[in-house]
Amino acid sequence: MDTLLTISGDLLPPYSTRGASQTLEPIDAAANMRRTVNGALKDISFDGFRKYKSAITCTDQRVPALDGVWPGKTITVGCVQELCYKTVGGAPSRPVVSGSSRTEGDYTYYRPQLTMLITGYQTTLDEWDATTGFTLNLEEV
């Protein structure tokens, strides 16, 4: 295995994702805040919008298998990025990638497994360095 990242659909051939990096952040619709007439800021967002968007970026020797893959495709991602919660009284908010959970002190860390839609991607090639790269943009369904 050359990466912790997993993506359903055989999109990751060997030597395409070593050293991958990943961001996880709330989707834009997760934040819906308004001020009261007294100026206090209140969260009025709907719990159903508490989802993640992600960008996975890597530079390696081979391109991922993105031929014929278009925005809107559903994939399952075993994330590289970890989430964390307080062990006592806490629980993971998403399914856990098998074998990725660990406890340190009062906190439990885990890699989430997310069902996501591809929202876009970009591939790059550096001819002289013989490297190829990609950025895969995703949003949780």
Side-chain angles (χ1 to χ4, degrees):
M1 172 172 47
D2 46 66
T3 182
L4 293 175
L5 177 69
T6 59
I7 297 179
S8 64
D10 297 323
L11 298 181
L12 303 177
Y15 310 112
S16 65
T17 53
R18 293 175 298 178
S21 63
Q22 181 179 21
T23 63
L24 276 180
E25 62 182 297
I27 62 171
D28 296 338
N32 188 4
M33 297 181 204
R34 298 286 186 264
R35 293 214 176 258
T36 66
V37 294
N38 294 326
L41 186 62
K42 299 288 182 179
D43 176 17
I44 60 169
S45 61
F46 174 61
D47 287 349
F49 289 125
R50 293 186 177 163
K51 308 268 184 182
Y52 289 105
K53 63 181 172 180
S54 179
I56 298 170
T57 305
C58 191
T59 301
D60 204 342
Q61 297 176 347
R62 303 279 185 260
V63 296
L66 295 172
D67 184 30
V69 175
W70 300 104
K73 179 176 178 63
T74 302
I75 59 175
T76 302
V77 178
C79 295
V80 174
Q81 177 63 51
E82 289 183 317
L83 294 176
C84 174
Y85 61 90
K86 185 92 167 160
T87 303
V88 176
S93 67
R94 301 295 189 275
V96 177
V97 171
S98 179
S100 73
S101 183
R102 62 188 168 78
T103 301
E104 290 182 14
D106 294 338
Y107 295 90
T108 299
Y109 300 83
Y110 72 99
R111 294 180 17 245
Q113 181 170 307
L114 305 174
T115 302
M116 306 187 93
L117 284 182
I118 295 173
T119 59
Y121 61 84
Q122 178 184 34
T123 60
T124 61
L125 173 72
D126 185 326
E127 181 180 18
W128 285 100
D129 284 341
T131 59
T132 186
F134 71 93
T135 299
L136 185 62
N137 298 307
L138 307 159
E139 285 198 25
E140 191 175 11
V141 297

